Amino acid sequence: LLQVRLRQGRTTEIDRYVAAAQGASKRAAALTHRLLAFSRRQTLDPKQTDVNRLVIGMEELIRRTVGPQITLEVVTAGGLWSTLIDSSQLESALLNLCINARDAMPEGGRITIETANKWLDDRAAKDRDLPPGQYLSLCVTDTGTGITPDVIARAFDPFFTTKPIGQGTGLGLSMVHGFVRQSGGQVRLYSERGHGTTMCLY
């Protein structure tokens, strides 16, 4: 359309077409990034990270994002181990989980972000599909509507969403899952209808 209008010498609406093209390319870039994250092929920059400091540093941003109807509680473990992770991707994953938690509580509620050190023995590690050893957990819990077992089974599928058309890409959780798996960890979802949901990143 831009080419046609330039050939015709009609330059009055060019800004609108440029803005549309730029918007489309940004959405395409974001989609490509999410698909790379899902397929675990994105370029990560893992560094030793103090996850407690990262969470506390994001607290104000998360409060503003989830809004005044939601109470935010942050529980950081003392003596938390340092972890090798891409901190900007972890920030993105945490914000994503908090937005999902907010959306599950349309009437308001509470989000709890919690960090902990975890020793996973053979049985605990097998339950989480991980090798036994030392892990750090970052969990986000909400007091929302909870998730049904059939939705839990598909929660990490790309393009699966329970949100209305135009309100979700269905790539948020699959992106988080891809990033955590690429980082040598695991994501676990625990939920009960009417009692809320906990998402744990190991």
Side-chain angles (χ1 to χ4, degrees):
L1 287 168
L2 200 54
Q3 282 177 327
V4 167
R5 271 164 172 68
L6 284 171
R7 275 201 301 270
Q8 294 171 343
R10 293 158 63 195
T11 57
T12 49
E13 292 189 334
I14 276 180
D15 285 350
R16 191 160 63 92
Y17 290 106
V18 170
Q22 286 176 331
S25 64
K26 281 176 186 161
R27 285 195 301 278
L31 179 62
T32 304
H33 174 72
R34 287 170 175 167
L35 289 170
L36 285 169
F38 171 72
S39 63
R40 301 178 223 161
R41 292 200 175 128
Q42 64 185 333
T43 304
L44 296 178
D45 183 23
K47 290 189 170 74
Q48 288 294 334
T49 302
D50 179 340
V51 175
N52 278 349
R53 185 180 294 172
L54 180 144
V55 170
I56 291 163
M58 287 189 69
E59 193 173 344
E60 191 52 40
L61 170 66
I62 292 168
R63 273 186 211 284
R64 286 203 308 271
T65 303
V66 299
Q69 272 191 301
I70 308 289
T71 303
L72 180 66
E73 189 178 0
V74 175
V75 183
T76 53
L80 192 72
W81 298 322
S82 181
T83 189
L84 192 65
I85 197 86
D86 185 317
S87 58
S88 64
Q89 291 292 339
L90 184 59
E91 286 176 347
S92 176
L94 177 58
L95 189 59
N96 204 313
L97 295 185
C98 290
I99 289 168
N100 277 359
R102 176 202 66 192
D103 292 347
M105 300 183 288
E107 306 299 317
R110 168 182 261 103
I111 294 174
T112 305
I113 302 171
E114 202 164 351
T115 61
N117 292 328
K118 299 280 183 186
W119 277 95
L120 299 186
D121 60 18
D122 288 346
R123 187 177 159 202
K126 193 176 178 187
D127 286 346
R128 290 164 181 81
D129 191 23
L130 286 168
Q134 295 172 306
Y135 291 86
L136 180 143
S137 71
L138 174 60
C139 298
V140 175
T141 302
D142 66 59
T143 56
T145 50
I147 305 174
T148 57
D150 59 314
V151 172
I152 290 173
R154 299 190 61 196
F156 300 114
D157 290 356
F159 305 111
F160 174 75
T161 181
T162 56
K163 292 174 184 172
I165 289 170
Q167 287 187 25
T169 59
L171 282 168
L173 285 183
S174 61
M175 221 172 125
V176 170
H177 184 262
F179 155 64
V180 173
R181 291 299 283 155
Q182 192 179 345
S183 303
Q186 185 59 280
V187 186
R188 278 293 174 263
L189 194 167
Y190 311 95
S191 188
E192 195 178 333
R193 287 297 283 165
H195 293 280
T197 301
T198 297
M199 294 283 291
C200 279
L201 312 183
Y202 292 93

